[in-house]
């Protein structure tokens, strides 16, 4: 079970954080998911696993700095994707941060999720993050070679600099509302500017930070992108 991750610690500039796995606990099914506890040297990462049996493809979802089971799109984007994607052969894993708003620790949480999916047979992974989570998944993707695509929704720029390292191995989709009241659309434009191909930027007119005004459009954009990039 021992396995170490060494994501770059952007706060210090030259230090690395280490996480070692100790155990994986999988609880009884609750509805359409399995509760998962990833016990590590830095605490327990909790996740919800929506399996697509024998699938080599998987996606990890994370929310913003508030933590919990956070999701954009009027509280519906991740719940809709977590059921729709397994039906199309893509396993879904919704990860909850141990230390919300702590960038480096949250990157480790996502990497823990990628590692867990690997133990289930998933070999090609996409990451989806909202707001603060956009920078989290970009950093995680730059570290994990199994990650093939990243979707950053209303992303911040702080910590998103590794977008420059993703292509061509890992594609990048950026979605941002032009009426974002928290993080202006230039954040995604800046990330897009430093990223290599393959990449795509979708600016949604009149849409705010939570993307609720275009929830159905965002769902379709993300789902179609994941199906195209993974399968």
């Amino acid at each position: 079970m021992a396995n170490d991750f060494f994501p770059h610690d952007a706060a210090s500039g030259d230090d690395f954080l280490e996480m070692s796995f100790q155990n994986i606990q999988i609880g009884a099914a609750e509805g359409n998911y399995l509760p998962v506890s990833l016990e590590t040297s830095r605490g327990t990462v909790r996740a919800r696993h929506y399996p697509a049996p024998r699938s080599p493809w998987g996606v990890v979802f994370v929310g913003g700095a508030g933590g919990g089971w956070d999701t954009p799109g009027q509280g519906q984007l991740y719940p809709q994707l977590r059921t729709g994607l397994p039906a199309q052969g893509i396993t879904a894993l919704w990860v909850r941060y141990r230390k919300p708003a702590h960038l480096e620790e949250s990157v480790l949480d996502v990497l823990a999720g990628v590692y867990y999916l690997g133990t289930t047979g998933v070999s090609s992974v996409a990451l989806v993050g909202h707001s603060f989570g956009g920078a989290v998944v970009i950093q995680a993707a730059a570290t994990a070679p199994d990650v093939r695509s990243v979707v950053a929704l209303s992303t911040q720029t702080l910590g998103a600099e590794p977008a420059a390292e993703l292509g061509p191995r890992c594609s990048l989709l950026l979605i941002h509302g032009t009426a974002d009241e928290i993080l202006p659309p230039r954040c995604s434009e800046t990330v897009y500017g430093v990223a290599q191909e393959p990449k795509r930027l979708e600016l949604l007119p009149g849409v705010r930070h939570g993307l609720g005004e275009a929830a159905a459009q965002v769902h379709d954009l993300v789902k179609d992108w994941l199906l195209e990039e993974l399968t």
Side-chain angles (χ1 to χ4, degrees):
M1 183 66 63
N3 191 67
D4 296 330
F5 296 117
F6 301 92
H8 188 262
D9 182 349
S12 63
D14 56 4
D15 292 335
F16 291 83
L17 299 181
E18 177 181 344
M19 172 183 277
S20 298
F21 270 93
Q22 298 169 344
N23 196 21
I24 296 176
Q25 298 285 343
I26 302 175
E30 298 183 15
N32 60 347
Y33 72 88
L34 299 171
V36 177
S37 297
L38 307 174
E39 299 173 4
T40 80
S41 57
R42 306 183 75 87
T44 299
V45 180
R46 304 198 183 279
R48 295 175 176 176
H49 179 198
Y50 304 82
R54 298 178 298 279
S55 173
W57 307 306
V59 58
V60 177
F61 300 112
V62 288
W69 304 110
D70 183 31
T71 173
Q74 295 180 329
Q76 294 300 312
L77 181 61
Y78 295 168
Q80 290 175 349
L81 290 171
R82 75 191 182 192
T83 55
L85 290 173
Q88 306 240 5
I90 298 177
T91 287
L93 188 73
W94 197 351
V95 171
R96 188 176 72 180
Y97 301 129
R98 289 170 298 115
K99 298 181 178 180
H102 191 297
L103 183 60
E104 291 77 28
E105 294 286 356
S106 297
V107 171
L108 283 170
D109 295 338
V110 172
L111 292 172
V114 172
Y115 171 78
Y116 167 73
L117 287 179
T119 69
T120 71
V122 170
S123 57
S124 184
V125 183
L127 308 178
V128 181
H130 176 242
S131 191
F132 162 82
V136 171
V137 294
I138 287 171
Q139 285 208 15
T143 301
D146 288 343
V147 177
R148 296 290 178 261
S149 189
V150 167
V151 178
L153 308 166
S154 307
T155 190
Q156 65 182 43
T157 53
L158 179 64
E161 297 85 355
E165 305 168 18
L166 299 183
R169 166 183 62 86
C170 177
S171 63
L172 175 63
L173 170 63
L174 297 151
I175 300 176
H176 216 118
T178 62
D180 193 319
E181 75 283 11
I182 296 176
L183 295 168
R186 68 172 176 272
C187 292
S188 285
E189 292 173 326
T190 297
V191 175
Y192 181 82
V194 302
Q196 301 181 57
E197 295 286 354
K199 60 182 180 178
R200 178 179 173 185
L201 172 62
E202 289 284 344
L203 297 179
L204 307 179
V207 173
R208 292 160 60 90
H209 187 68
L211 304 173
E213 296 85 354
Q217 181 182 1
V218 172
H219 170 271
D220 291 346
L221 283 169
V222 174
K223 183 178 180 180
D224 291 348
W225 178 268
L226 295 174
L227 288 170
E228 177 71 22
E229 295 300 308
L230 285 178
T231 66

